[in-house]
Amino acid sequence: MLRFIMQRVLLMPVLLVVFSVIVFALVQAPPGDFLTSYAATLASSGSSIGETELQALRQTYGLDKPIYVQYLYWMGNLLRGDLGLSLEYQRPNAELIGERLVLTLALAAFSFIFTWIIAIPAGILSARHQHGPIDYFFTFFNYIGVAIPNFMLALILMWLGFSVLGISVTGLFSPEFEQAPWNLARVADLMKHMWLPAIVIGISGTARLTRVMRANLLDELNKLYVVTARAKGMSEWKLVLKYPVRLAINPLISTIGWYLPQLFSGSLIVATVMNLPNIGPLLLRSLISQDMYLAGSLLLIYAFLTIIGTLLSDILLALADPRIRMRG
Amino acid sequence: MGNKTDKEGAMVTLEGGGEPLLSVRNLKVHFPMDEGRVRAVDGVSFDVQPGQVVGIVGESGCGKSVTMKAILRIVEPPGRIVEGQIMYHSRASGEAGTSKVRGTIDLVGLAPNGKEMRDIRGAEIALIPQEPMAAFSPVHTVGNQVIEAIRLHRDLSKSAARQLAVDTFRDVGISMPEQRIDSYSWQMSGGLRQRAMIAMALAANPRLLIADEPTTAIDVTTQAQILRLLRKLRFEYNSAIIFITHDLGVIAQMADYVVVMYLGKVMAQGPVDDLFHNPLHPYTQALLRSIPSVQSAPRVKLPTISGSIPHAFNRPKGCPFHPRCTSFMPGVCDRDEPELKAVDGRQLVSCFLFRDTPEVANGQA
């Protein structure tokens, strides 16, 4: 077990180097560079920039060098812990990403907890009362949850919040805390705003997880070990929770690792609609403007989190299932 | 086992009195399906005496497993007991403490998952399932599941229950029980797994063990060991056993009394020697003929029962066996259902060939 974790941890830097090459190649793939799109933006807003000025800027940013030189320059900075400078914002990338990353992770944690707290019990109830009113009730909501685009749900809830409750539910902070330094009051304000986006983002995942949990449990409920437990004289709920539920959750544990990357890209529209200061909109903006060091850093962090997430869910799975722990 | 002597004492008085431990009377378990009603068990009656081994034989689909599930009250929906009684006679006399059940109870009258039924399940009537691989949870240690079975019915501390589990493991012939108890079922061999399963069933010292084809999933040499073990334990723990199997050889070795089932009905029942040496029912005769024998001439085709088991939705009218029966009497067997009646004083047979035999007092010989 320990060896397995060590192996995986040692493999991580190798994976990250491979990812960094791929990420850099992808970011560089669109024709032109940041300055081309910068010039285009200026042109569309009526002003313009001279060719000589562009050349000068290109030299300043090193955009005239060959790609591998640019890559080595970026990597060299990364190894020194420097994420580089955003070309568009003219600010250090670490500063731009920092708080947004924290908020993204917090949002992910919240919507993850919401998803599991709702979906697992709902899936269990659905399976235990298969084809009964409770099952149909959850099935109905599951279809709605999957079918409604989450940004639309966000719009509906925002409108309801505004028209019925008279509150503005966009963003993650009240205006007075928007730029405030971190303190307890700001955290409290964050919590007040966090639950709604967490639910909106988590709702389709909840619906999907409920269905999977229901299906997994239905498979397990017919297994012979359930009959054995019943024949021992265990009470029905106790035995269902101890045996089949435990086995039905096991395959879900391996999906925990995908949760974060899914949220990165999946919540983009919601984040835009609800004006959430998380990673999604920043990544989109940096890709559009070809702000390559920002985009590259974001994608690399994204890859890093995916690797960590997968490792975590593998460890969790090994802890939960002795067959994996002791045979692997 | 602390109360073994008590039990033996109780048993002597009861065998004198002849009160059965379990009487199943006219049990009917039906499964209402979209395609129609499946009469999985359709009027089954038999008795189990204390300490007796009753074998239930029949081809697959004859209702033997559903009968066993009905006795434990764990028939899966939509299956339902629609008629009949399952009388469980707990031996109240001389039984101090361990049993929460007193007197005679009709198990059909209890809520399947109610407290009363759960106090009987596992404690009074325990199950040895087939396929021990699938019958243990793979993510819990075997010991965890055995100790749980003990503590459900006995007020023991964790360490006392563990000690009892280790002792029971030793009783069923598991070597190094202290280590084995902490392993998972998939780390054990097939024979060991079945021994652990038997230990789990025995742990609460039940009076009736239901063994549902306990040897079908294991290889032949291990099978013999398990059968020997069950015979030994039956005396040590003084439990009656209902032994469900399709293997007549196993029945001949194990059972005192045999119940032959076909399509949810009892075709014949009687003491094992009578039934095997003087089979009266054409179905019993056919079953016995189809057993290969070492004495039979080589390269002679083994007799089989012609035809196949009818589908559950297409039950033949009259005697369910008549389409395959060599003694079929047109106009009789395909019209009415024969009743189970005593013939020659020892066997009960459900067949029109014996309709003229004078009725003997009801109940088993």
Side-chain angles (χ1 to χ4, degrees), chain B residues 95-156:
Chain B
E95 197 68 36
T98 58
S99 171
K100 291 167 187 156
V101 185
R102 307 241 165 246
T104 298
I105 299 172
D106 183 3
L107 302 184
V108 175
L110 299 180
N113 288 320
K115 182 91 180 72
E116 278 178 290
M117 191 61 226
R118 283 192 282 113
D119 280 344
I120 293 174
R121 209 146 61 205
E124 305 278 324
I125 307 175
L127 171 71
I128 303 174
Q130 50 182 327
E131 292 181 71
M133 183 66 178
F136 275 119
S137 152
V139 297
H140 298 86
T141 62
V142 170
N144 173 310
Q145 295 169 72
V146 176
I147 291 165
E148 174 186 70
I150 294 171
R151 296 193 72 204
L152 273 168
H153 302 292
R154 288 194 177 186
D155 205 9
L156 288 178

Side-chain angles (χ1 to χ4, degrees), chain B residues 54 125 240 283:
Chain B
V54 173
I125 307 175
Y283 180 55

Side-chain angles (χ1 to χ4, degrees), chain B residues 132-184:
Chain B
M133 183 66 178
F136 275 119
S137 152
V139 297
H140 298 86
T141 62
V142 170
N144 173 310
Q145 295 169 72
V146 176
I147 291 165
E148 174 186 70
I150 294 171
R151 296 193 72 204
L152 273 168
H153 302 292
R154 288 194 177 186
D155 205 9
L156 288 178
S157 70
K158 264 192 185 142
S159 60
R162 188 186 162 88
Q163 191 50 51
L164 181 58
V166 168
D167 291 344
T168 318
F169 266 39
R170 200 172 286 122
D171 277 358
V172 298
I174 296 178
S175 59
M176 299 188 296
E178 288 91 350
Q179 284 93 57
R180 289 270 162 68
I181 203 163
D182 291 320
S183 48
Y184 293 92

Side-chain angles (χ1 to χ4, degrees), chain B residues 272-299:
Chain B
V272 67
D273 288 337
D274 296 77
L275 208 98
F276 273 60
H277 294 128
N278 180 26
L280 297 174
H281 197 287
Y283 180 55
T284 321
Q285 290 168 356
L287 276 180
L288 289 169
R289 261 200 309 274
S290 58
I291 302 178
S293 159
V294 261
Q295 277 119 41
S296 60
R299 289 192 189 82

Side-chain angles (χ1 to χ4, degrees), chain A residues 73-305:
Chain A
Y73 169 75
W74 180 56
M75 271 311 274
N77 280 340
L78 277 181
L79 288 178
R80 270 179 271 124
D82 182 1
L83 293 181
L85 200 71
S86 159
L87 303 175
E88 185 181 19
Y89 298 90
Q90 291 298 318
R91 281 171 60 197
N93 285 331
E95 202 181 294
L96 282 169
I97 295 171
E99 189 178 279
R100 283 172 172 263
L101 186 64
V102 172
L103 291 175
T104 304
L105 290 176
L107 199 58
F110 268 80
S111 72
F112 174 79
I113 291 168
F114 167 78
T115 300
W116 277 65
I117 280 185
I118 302 292
I120 299 300
I124 295 172
L125 282 171
S126 260
R128 286 280 292 127
H129 302 276
Q130 194 192 7
H131 304 316
I134 295 181
D135 185 24
Y136 290 139
F137 172 82
F138 283 120
T139 304
F140 175 72
F141 277 99
N142 288 336
Y143 284 131
I144 290 192
V146 174
I148 294 187
N150 52 11
F151 66 87
M152 195 168 124
L153 190 68
L155 285 172
I156 294 171
L157 287 176
M158 280 159 65
W159 175 73
L160 277 178
F162 189 73
S163 65
V164 178
L165 300 172
I167 52 166
S168 164
V169 285
T170 57
L172 286 176
F173 296 103
S174 309
E176 61 269 33
F177 287 107
E178 199 90 50
Q179 301 297 328
W182 281 105
N183 57 29
L184 270 180
R186 194 172 188 235
V187 172
D189 185 63
L190 175 65
M191 292 301 140
K192 259 191 274 175
H193 285 79
M194 184 76 92
W195 63 272
L196 189 68
I199 290 175
V200 169
I201 290 168
I203 209 100
S204 69
T206 307
R208 234 169 285 135
L209 191 64
T210 307
R211 295 308 287 177
V212 176
M213 182 64 196
R214 176 184 181 273
N216 285 1
L217 188 55
L218 282 175
D219 276 350
E220 295 296 329
L221 283 174
N222 294 323
K223 296 270 172 78
L224 192 56
Y225 66 80
V226 178
V227 176
T228 317
R230 204 172 280 143
K232 281 197 276 194
M234 278 180 96
S235 76
E236 196 63 18
W237 271 112
K238 237 189 202 159
L239 79 88
V240 166
L241 290 180
K242 177 171 177 185
Y243 295 112
V245 165
R246 165 89 185 266
L247 278 135
I249 286 181
N250 270 3
L252 299 181
I253 293 177
S254 54
T255 66
I256 293 177
W258 315 332
Y259 194 76
L260 207 58
Q262 241 173 32
L263 197 76
F264 257 60
S265 41
S267 66
L268 175 64
I269 306 179
V270 176
T272 311
V273 167
M274 298 188 82
N275 191 23
L276 303 177
N278 67 357
I279 294 277
L282 187 66
L283 177 59
L284 181 66
R285 181 70 216 140
S286 67
L287 286 171
I288 290 173
S289 63
Q290 299 201 33
D291 192 346
M292 61 182 200
Y293 294 123
L294 181 55
S297 302
L298 281 172
L299 287 175
L300 207 54
I301 289 171
Y302 185 48
F304 176 70
L305 290 174

Side-chain angles (χ1 to χ4, degrees), chain B residues 58-325:
Chain B
E59 295 163 88
S60 36
C62 73
K64 47 192 199 301
S65 286
V66 178
T67 304
M68 146 230 127
K69 284 187 174 168
I71 294 170
L72 284 163
R73 299 300 316 277
I74 53 172
V75 175
E76 282 106 5
R80 216 164 58 81
I81 299 178
V82 293
E83 210 182 309
Q85 290 178 317
I86 303 169
M87 305 305 291
Y88 179 71
H89 305 273
S90 80
R91 288 157 292 160
S93 58
E95 197 68 36
T98 58
S99 171
K100 291 167 187 156
V101 185
R102 307 241 165 246
T104 298
I105 299 172
D106 183 3
L107 302 184
V108 175
L110 299 180
N113 288 320
K115 182 91 180 72
E116 278 178 290
M117 191 61 226
R118 283 192 282 113
D119 280 344
I120 293 174
R121 209 146 61 205
E124 305 278 324
I125 307 175
L127 171 71
I128 303 174
Q130 50 182 327
E131 292 181 71
M133 183 66 178
F136 275 119
S137 152
V139 297
H140 298 86
T141 62
V142 170
N144 173 310
Q145 295 169 72
V146 176
I147 291 165
E148 174 186 70
I150 294 171
R151 296 193 72 204
L152 273 168
H153 302 292
R154 288 194 177 186
D155 205 9
L156 288 178
S157 70
K158 264 192 185 142
S159 60
R162 188 186 162 88
Q163 191 50 51
L164 181 58
V166 168
D167 291 344
T168 318
F169 266 39
R170 200 172 286 122
D171 277 358
V172 298
I174 296 178
S175 59
M176 299 188 296
E178 288 91 350
Q179 284 93 57
R180 289 270 162 68
I181 203 163
D182 291 320
S183 48
Y184 293 92
S185 62
W186 41 265
Q187 294 173 311
M188 296 177 149
S189 67
L192 220 47
R193 267 199 295 269
Q194 191 56 288
R195 282 173 198 270
M197 208 64 200
I198 293 171
M200 184 154 88
L202 284 174
N205 218 344
R207 288 144 186 202
L208 177 60
L209 274 174
I210 300 181
D212 183 15
E213 313 216 13
T215 54
T216 38
I218 41 190
D219 64 78
V220 183
T221 38
T222 323
Q223 232 176 54
Q225 290 170 11
I226 295 289
L227 292 178
R228 207 175 308 134
L229 173 70
L230 280 173
R231 275 202 299 272
K232 179 179 92 113
L233 292 170
R234 170 196 166 192
F235 292 112
E236 277 175 21
Y237 283 76
N238 204 357
S239 308
I241 303 179
I242 295 179
F243 204 100
I244 295 170
T245 182
H246 55 255
D247 187 336
L248 289 166
V250 170
I251 286 287
Q253 286 180 63
M254 286 296 298
D256 306 314
Y257 193 84
V258 183
V259 178
V260 181
M261 285 183 70
Y262 186 78
L263 275 184
K265 289 196 167 288
V266 175
M267 295 284 107
Q269 55 175 288
V272 67
D273 288 337
D274 296 77
L275 208 98
F276 273 60
H277 294 128
N278 180 26
L280 297 174
H281 197 287
Y283 180 55
T284 321
Q285 290 168 356
L287 276 180
L288 289 169
R289 261 200 309 274
S290 58
I291 302 178
S293 159
V294 261
Q295 277 119 41
S296 60
R299 289 192 189 82
V300 169
K301 225 178 170 187
L302 193 66
T304 52
I305 304 178
S306 62
S308 55
I309 308 172
H311 192 270
F313 299 119
N314 288 326
R315 273 178 79 100
K317 197 173 176 306
C319 171
F321 188 58
H322 84 254
R324 306 170 72 187
C325 185

